[in-house]
Amino acid sequence: VEQGIAFTKIRWLRLLVDEGHELGSQFNDMDPDSVSPAVSFIRDIAAERRWVMSGTPTTGTKSSLGLAQIRRLLMFLRHPIYGTGSQAYHMWKDMISNPFLQQDVGAKVRLEILLSSIMIRHTKLDLHLFDPIRKTVVLDPEPLPSMDSQRSGEEIDAGGNLVVKEE
């Protein structure tokens, strides 16, 4: 029995993948939807909710590479239009990818709507952190009496410090 088989036999509530841009990496240059065996395995895990965390959802510098990475992420997320089903690839190509690469404004708007429906984006400005408290507090702890402090050769001085006498 393979070690990973148990994961595929459980229906998980959530499947969260960190460094999610790795899910969008192409495995085979000849097949735009190809993925590594590890990504294929992760895709096969049954989960009610799928989340991807990434600081860099696309690593491609060319538009076509970035679009292909987004498409593979949609496949992992099992997006109902562009990620699953026999027509998903054709819908992606016809509605998003090809028109976007031809600089069609409508495709750009469709892509923005799609991404805003599946992404939560946070920046440092979104964080409402309290200013740090800048106050110096000097504590003068009183030594707590303990039975251990009365071991042979040890005593506590007037300042509360443990003094070990060498014999």
Side-chain angles (χ1 to χ4, degrees):
V1 176
E2 291 183 36
Q3 191 173 10
I5 296 289
F7 277 62
T8 60
K9 292 186 178 204
I10 299 170
R11 179 163 175 81
W12 300 89
L13 176 61
R14 291 182 193 93
L15 176 58
L16 187 138
V17 177
D18 194 8
E19 300 298 334
H21 56 274
E22 295 293 329
L23 293 172
S25 299
Q26 187 172 342
F27 190 64
N28 178 344
D29 289 337
M30 302 304 289
D31 180 3
D33 284 338
S34 68
V35 294
S36 71
V39 170
S40 181
F41 171 75
I42 290 170
R43 282 187 186 172
D44 289 342
I45 295 174
E48 186 176 321
R49 300 174 187 131
R50 294 168 169 263
W51 298 348
V52 175
M53 290 181 17
S54 178
T56 314
T58 62
T59 56
T61 54
K62 291 178 23 181
S63 292
S64 59
L65 292 176
L67 289 169
Q69 286 178 315
I70 292 171
R71 161 85 170 108
R72 288 188 288 276
L73 287 172
L74 291 170
M75 291 169 63
F76 167 76
L77 293 172
R78 297 183 179 167
H79 188 271
I81 298 171
Y82 302 115
T84 60
S86 60
Q87 295 300 312
Y89 178 74
H90 297 293
M91 290 289 291
W92 174 257
K93 285 298 224 185
D94 295 344
M95 298 298 293
I96 305 287
S97 182
N98 288 342
F100 185 89
L101 293 173
Q102 295 168 1
Q103 299 182 350
D104 177 22
V105 176
K108 181 179 184 277
V109 170
R110 284 190 296 279
L111 182 58
E112 286 175 353
I113 291 170
L114 170 66
L115 293 177
S116 69
S117 72
I118 63 169
M119 291 177 63
I120 299 172
R121 183 172 185 260
H122 291 290
T123 65
K124 288 182 182 179
L125 296 175
D126 295 327
L127 299 176
H128 301 288
L129 300 176
F130 297 107
D131 290 333
I133 299 170
R134 302 204 186 274
K135 181 178 178 183
T136 303
V137 177
V138 178
L139 300 175
D140 186 17
E142 292 183 24
L144 296 175
S146 108
M147 294 175 74
D148 291 334
S149 66
Q150 300 304 316
R151 291 183 292 195
S152 173
E154 296 179 352
E155 63 181 52
I156 297 176
D157 69 5
N161 301 310
L162 178 65
V163 178
V164 177
K165 295 181 182 177
E166 292 184 29
E167 295 183 22

